[in-house]
Amino acid sequence: MSTDHVSVDWEQARDTNRANWDDRVPIHEGAYEIDALDDPAHRSGVVRADLPVLARWLPGGSLDGLDLCHLQCHIGTDTVSLAREGARVTGVDFSPAALASARALADRLGLDVTWVETDVLDARAAVAGDFDVVYTSIGTICWLDDLERWAVQVAALLRPGGVFFIRDGHPALYALDESADELVARHRYFADGTAQQWDESGTYAGDGTVANTRTYEWPHPLSEIVNALLGAGLRLRLLDEGRTLPWRFSERMEDTGDGEFAWPGSDRDRVPTTFTVVATKD
């Protein structure tokens, strides 16, 4: 159940969302491919999809030896996958429960990862050093009310010549009615400063329920996302739109067999499911 055009203070919304994400941790520990990571050659499905694109902008096409900051890292499955590519990785998240899970995972796998608990909108003040790569993916920026402030954090964390990568759910997808039998717009595409309030006991992965059911999200059109990064002084290198995403947004979506989901039939060509942006710092 959702309510649109909700005026809410950022700190209140952030703390409400954090309680919900804390509750998701044990559910996601059972739903994510954590056991598969016991194989040193395994990488998360998200990183397997993202890395070939990101590699095009890296020296030698590799993360090996680079400093990488993973923003909104949740329970760390993507973070440890990036560390396995040879990067010196810092994972950032606002959920202490998620970071405890991520730290335990990295320790179990024998990987040296730095973990920082902070609001991503304060990341520059909380994270030491600067980075060759700042990475975030997927399902991240809908939780943020101020993309200009977010983009400033990204730019400040990058060293000159550094690369920012994001793949996320497409705002056109988020405007759709996920329960409809056809492609029908239900939610706002454009931002107006207000939030969408959700009250749901489930999550996008796993069968459990959460005690803290309320969350707040903000729609951000593609133009706002790109302009925030440009406004922070970054140089746009790539803007791409995809037809699959790594969770089932709607029950109508089909499993493509590689951890991704897509609309059936001709609907696959009608609405993008993800966008990817690569930007660099001069």
Side-chain angles (χ1 to χ4, degrees):
M1 182 179 70
S2 64
T3 305
D4 209 349
H5 301 290
V6 175
S7 295
V8 60
D9 176 81
W10 166 244
E11 285 74 18
Q12 176 188 343
R14 178 197 60 206
D15 293 349
T16 300
N17 286 343
R18 181 165 51 209
N20 176 271
W21 279 93
D22 284 346
D23 286 351
R24 295 185 190 208
V25 170
I27 302 171
H28 291 175
E29 286 176 332
Y32 283 33
E33 49 186 4
I34 289 179
D35 289 345
L37 288 162
D38 288 339
D39 176 0
H42 185 77
R43 307 293 184 265
S44 70
V46 169
V47 168
R48 289 197 303 271
D50 291 345
L51 197 56
V53 181
L54 174 59
R56 292 163 51 191
W57 309 96
L58 301 177
S62 171
L63 286 172
D64 190 35
L66 299 184
D67 295 305
L68 182 147
C69 184
H70 181 191
L71 299 179
Q72 296 172 269
C73 67
H74 193 37
I75 62 173
T77 52
D78 300 332
T79 321
V80 299
S81 296
L82 294 164
R84 279 182 164 167
E85 291 296 316
R88 294 180 292 271
V89 178
T90 296
V92 176
D93 202 86
F94 74 155
S95 164
L99 287 177
S101 178
R103 184 177 292 108
L105 174 62
D107 289 348
R108 178 166 66 83
L109 299 178
L111 295 170
D112 184 15
V113 178
T114 299
W115 305 102
V116 179
E117 180 186 332
T118 185
D119 179 342
V120 70
L121 298 184
D122 296 321
R124 176 62 284 179
V127 177
D130 53 16
F131 298 89
D132 301 297
V133 179
V134 174
Y135 170 94
T136 184
S137 179
I138 185 169
T140 53
I141 59 174
C142 64
W143 303 101
L144 308 178
D145 71 333
D146 187 344
L147 287 196
E148 290 185 357
R149 182 175 166 189
W150 163 78
V152 166
Q153 308 305 305
V154 170
L157 287 166
L158 284 171
R159 57 182 54 133
V163 178
F164 173 62
F165 177 97
I166 180 172
R167 178 170 66 112
D168 210 335
H170 200 290
L173 176 78
Y174 291 155
L176 297 177
D177 184 343
E178 64 275 20
S179 61
D181 293 332
E182 56 186 347
L183 300 180
V184 177
R186 174 184 176 188
H187 307 291
R188 275 186 295 139
Y189 177 85
F190 292 104
D192 66 2
T194 64
Q196 296 167 324
Q197 177 182 297
W198 297 83
D199 285 276
E200 295 184 344
S201 60
T203 98
Y204 58 87
D207 298 326
T209 58
V210 298
N212 295 282
T213 59
R214 178 161 296 179
T215 58
Y216 296 97
E217 299 181 31
W218 287 265
H220 299 295
L222 200 56
S223 57
E224 180 188 3
I225 298 164
V226 170
N227 287 332
L229 294 167
L230 294 176
L234 298 182
R235 183 188 296 269
L236 185 67
R237 297 295 190 176
L238 174 74
L239 171 60
D240 195 15
E241 295 169 290
R243 293 174 172 83
T244 68
L245 76 164
W247 81 92
R248 184 174 262 126
F249 171 82
S250 164
E251 289 302 317
R252 292 182 58 235
M253 283 188 157
E254 300 174 340
D255 189 339
T256 64
D258 56 358
E260 298 271 315
F261 297 87
W263 293 112
S266 60
D267 281 354
R268 189 173 300 194
D269 293 328
R270 291 191 171 119
V271 178
T273 55
T274 61
F275 74 90
T276 300
V277 167
V278 177
T280 57
K281 182 175 180 176
D282 291 338

